[in-house]
Amino acid sequence: MTAILLVEDEPAVREVTATLLRHCGFVMHTAATPDEALAVVARHPIDILLTDVYLLGHSDGYSMTRQLRSQGWKGRVIFTSGDPDAIDAARLEDEDAPFLPKPYGRNMLLEAIRELERS
């Protein structure tokens, strides 16, 4: 089973997305901040990081991903954002990482995850 860490600072989005992915059979972990995410990765094997680019009042999803990589995490990343300009920055950060514009739908999210599982 694929383990996903969802890093999202908006509680409603975090809860709905995590519930959807659990019902689809994924092992889900959630975090509201980069610090929480780092703690989750230290305790659990994570295959896919699904992170908002801009995390209110905290470092961004890019910085958090770089920090995880520097600590040896080798999983895959999906970046999300409601800011359409974030897609260009996401491509510069990790050209292989999918970018999902918010609001993303169930099918779009599942397709991005399945694509990472296949690659």
Side-chain angles (χ1 to χ4, degrees), residues 44-59:
H44 303 283
I46 301 296
D47 301 303
I48 296 174
L49 174 67
L50 173 59
T51 183
D52 194 352
V53 170
Y54 302 114
L55 298 163
L56 188 63
H58 301 279
S59 71

Side-chain angles (χ1 to χ4, degrees), residues 3 11 14 30 36 38 45 64 68 80 89:
R14 189 172 58 247
T30 61
E36 288 178 18
L38 294 169
M64 177 189 61
L68 286 169
T80 70

Side-chain angles (χ1 to χ4, degrees), residues 6 12-22 28 50 104 109:
L6 169 62
V13 174
R14 189 172 58 247
E15 183 59 34
V16 167
T17 304
T19 299
L20 164 73
L21 293 175
R22 273 189 201 98
M28 285 304 301
L50 173 59
Y104 49 81
L109 175 59

Side-chain angles (χ1 to χ4, degrees), residues 3-4 11 16 18 25-27 39-40 48 59-60 68-70 77 88 92 96 98 100 104 115-117:
I4 299 174
V16 167
F26 298 101
V27 175
V40 169
I48 296 174
S59 71
D60 59 65
L68 286 169
R69 296 267 189 241
S70 74
V77 181
D88 293 328
L92 290 173
D96 294 328
L100 296 179
Y104 49 81
E115 184 63 32
L116 289 183
E117 288 180 317

